Amino acid sequence: MKKLFKLALITMLIISLALSSTACNKSASTDDKKEIVIGAVHAMSGPAATLGNSVKQGMDIAIKEVNDAGGIMGMTVRAVYRDDEGDPTKSKSYMEEVIIKEKADFIIGPPSSTCVAASEPFVNENKKIQILNIATASALIDASKYPYTFRTMIPNFKQAEALVKIALSKGYKKIVLVQDTTALGVGGLADMKKYMDLAGAKAVAEISYTANEADMTPIAQKIKDAGADCALFWTLGADGAKIVKALERVDYLDNLEILGYTGLSMTNFEALAGPGASICSTLGLEVWAPLRSEPKFDDTRQTMYDKVLAEYGEFGPGKRDTSPIYISTGYDSVMLLKAAIEKAESIDSDKVKAALESGDEFKGYYALGYVFSDTEHDGLNVAEICQTEITTDKFLGEFAYRISEK
């Protein structure tokens, strides 16, 4: 009898210790955590530096506000930045570094779709929630293939649909498609061709080039040889500007309109493109692109703009060269994570993922709001897309005016 009693006592002690150990481990993983680390691998130098630096500035404003208000669930937020210079190989290496070495809890993904594609499998294998706030390639968002990646930017397939719709509505008959040979360009071409086919139209030429080519004269000559009346550009701003400058050299700016996806809209586009910038337009969101007849922001966008002015000053030569629009995407990314973490009451990736997928609307400064589901990880309402000017004559000196209502 004594042996049975001793055995029962030992068994109860073992169970008690096991439960205590589990509780301690749980406490160490949540209650004892002091900070949340957000990893951000962006191009902060090189041709696309204004995009990466804009996102960084927005993140910094948001993180300061969050920490000044007590953090997230009592945890301070810290960002770990790496400059990939827009290089996919460097981007992948740095992403591995911030996840493994810096132990990032969450990721704000690279602005470049090609850089995202290089590291996205690794990010998802490690179950890190990743917010894409600039990269637009359609294939990057797939709730089954990349379950931990979410996007707050206008996706490529919707941009392609909008570009084709605008070109055809204006009656253009000789449309050329221009794109680079990266994954971004190949995907953009496929999307544009899809919507051309659906509309029963066909491009007179498909013109590709190697990204960052020094001389774009051969590309401009091909556009001229095709007799194009409209060119749909799936190019990043620096490359697109060089092509426009080359079109000036081959004397083919008259009677041509260039419609570009959002990658074209870099703050230094006009300076690089020269006079040809006047025949170019791109896509944007209505809330950031007022009509010339009503040149003002709503209260939310004005609040964001005031934050940018207070922290980074006026835009112009020798001053700020970053875009408040892209700054707002960095800000929204941090605040989106904050809202999801607080809704989940946890930093566990699967719980935060479920919170994002709840169908609740997360209010934003870049867009009116974002809504995700378990099957749809593109959260922006595409009804907000509009065509915008690319001119030096801008609202408040730095914001494009809206060309049409949609």
Side-chain angles (χ1 to χ4, degrees):
M1 190 70 178
K2 287 183 178 181
K3 288 182 179 180
L4 289 174
F5 178 76
K6 286 181 179 180
L7 182 60
L9 188 62
I10 291 171
T11 301
M12 290 175 64
L13 181 60
I14 291 172
I15 293 173
S16 176
L17 288 171
L19 290 173
S20 175
S21 175
T22 301
C24 288
N25 288 337
K26 181 179 179 182
S27 175
S29 65
T30 56
D31 297 340
D32 292 344
K33 188 170 174 62
K34 301 300 182 184
E35 74 173 3
I36 294 171
V37 179
I38 300 177
V41 179
H42 297 154
M44 291 179 280
S45 63
T50 54
L51 290 177
N53 287 323
S54 293
V55 174
K56 180 182 183 299
Q57 288 179 351
M59 289 178 61
D60 286 345
I61 293 174
I63 289 171
K64 183 178 186 301
E65 289 182 7
V66 169
N67 287 336
D68 286 349
I72 301 176
M73 294 168 53
M75 293 173 280
T76 58
V77 180
R78 177 171 62 90
V80 174
Y81 296 108
R82 293 292 186 274
D83 177 12
D84 65 12
E85 303 172 45
D87 183 307
T89 302
K90 291 180 180 179
S91 190
K92 183 175 183 293
S93 177
Y94 281 138
M95 190 65 76
E96 292 170 354
E97 180 179 313
V98 299
I99 289 176
I100 297 172
K101 182 180 177 181
E102 302 291 347
K103 302 188 184 304
D105 300 294
F106 300 96
I107 299 295
I108 306 298
S112 162
S113 292
T114 305
C115 290
V116 174
S119 60
E120 190 167 22
F122 180 80
V123 173
N124 279 263
E125 285 165 9
N126 282 271
K127 300 178 70 172
K128 298 298 180 182
I129 297 292
Q130 173 174 233
I131 306 297
L132 303 182
N133 56 0
I134 300 292
T136 57
S138 300
L140 299 178
I141 296 298
D142 183 329
S144 58
K145 186 177 181 180
Y146 303 121
Y148 297 95
T149 301
F150 296 79
R151 178 159 50 202
T152 57
M153 176 54 68
I154 309 168
N156 278 0
F157 68 94
K158 282 298 179 183
Q159 294 195 52
E161 182 181 15
L163 290 176
V164 170
K165 182 179 178 180
I166 292 168
L168 295 178
S169 70
K170 293 187 174 186
Y172 291 123
K173 303 298 183 184
K174 295 184 176 181
I175 300 172
V176 298
L177 309 180
V178 182
Q179 69 289 319
D180 64 34
T181 55
T182 66
L184 171 68
V186 172
L189 173 62
D191 287 332
M192 290 190 291
K193 289 176 66 176
K194 172 185 174 181
Y195 288 104
M196 290 285 286
D197 290 343
L198 288 173
K202 185 175 178 61
V204 295
E206 297 171 13
I207 303 171
S208 61
Y209 65 91
T210 302
N212 300 318
E213 279 188 12
D215 182 12
M216 294 293 187
T217 304
I219 307 306
Q221 189 62 50
K222 289 180 181 179
I223 295 173
K224 181 177 182 179
D225 291 345
D229 53 14
C230 179
L232 303 187
F233 272 29
W234 210 275
T235 71
L236 292 177
D239 283 345
K242 285 189 285 186
I243 296 172
V244 174
K245 192 67 176 176
L247 284 165
E248 180 185 355
R249 290 196 295 273
V250 301
D251 193 25
Y252 199 69
L253 292 178
D254 295 338
N255 303 315
L256 175 68
E257 181 173 0
I258 295 171
L259 307 175
Y261 96 115
T262 52
L264 202 65
S265 57
M266 293 174 63
T267 53
N268 59 347
F269 181 85
E270 300 96 322
L272 296 174
S278 63
I279 67 169
C280 302
S281 65
T282 184
L283 301 174
L285 296 186
E286 286 189 10
V287 290
W288 282 104
L291 293 167
R292 285 185 176 274
S293 59
E294 194 176 356
K296 65 178 182 179
F297 286 139
D298 62 19
D299 290 344
T300 302
R301 261 41 64 177
Q302 186 63 51
T303 297
M304 186 72 238
Y305 187 48
D306 290 342
K307 292 175 188 285
V308 173
L309 292 178
E311 193 68 28
Y312 302 113
E314 299 283 346
F315 174 79
K319 302 177 183 178
R320 172 174 53 82
D321 66 350
T322 50
S323 164
I325 297 174
Y326 291 125
I327 290 172
S328 70
T329 69
Y331 184 95
D332 280 2
S333 297
V334 173
M335 291 306 189
L336 176 61
L337 287 174
K338 176 180 182 292
I341 291 167
E342 290 175 343
K343 180 178 178 62
E345 298 183 342
S346 172
I347 61 168
D348 176 79
S349 292
D350 287 310
K351 291 180 180 178
V352 174
K353 175 177 176 291
L356 286 168
E357 295 174 338
S358 66
D360 290 350
E361 182 179 33
F362 298 90
K363 297 296 184 182
Y365 281 90
Y366 168 63
L368 292 174
Y370 312 100
V371 178
F372 307 97
S373 71
D374 59 353
T375 58
E376 181 56 84
H377 284 192
D378 266 314
L380 190 144
N381 183 352
V382 295
E384 296 185 46
I385 301 174
C386 67
Q387 184 184 7
T388 65
E389 300 176 357
I390 300 183
T391 66
T392 54
D393 175 22
K394 294 186 174 183
F395 174 54
L396 298 176
E398 57 178 322
F399 299 98
Y401 285 103
R402 196 187 322 162
I403 290 177
S404 61
E405 290 297 327
K406 286 287 187 293

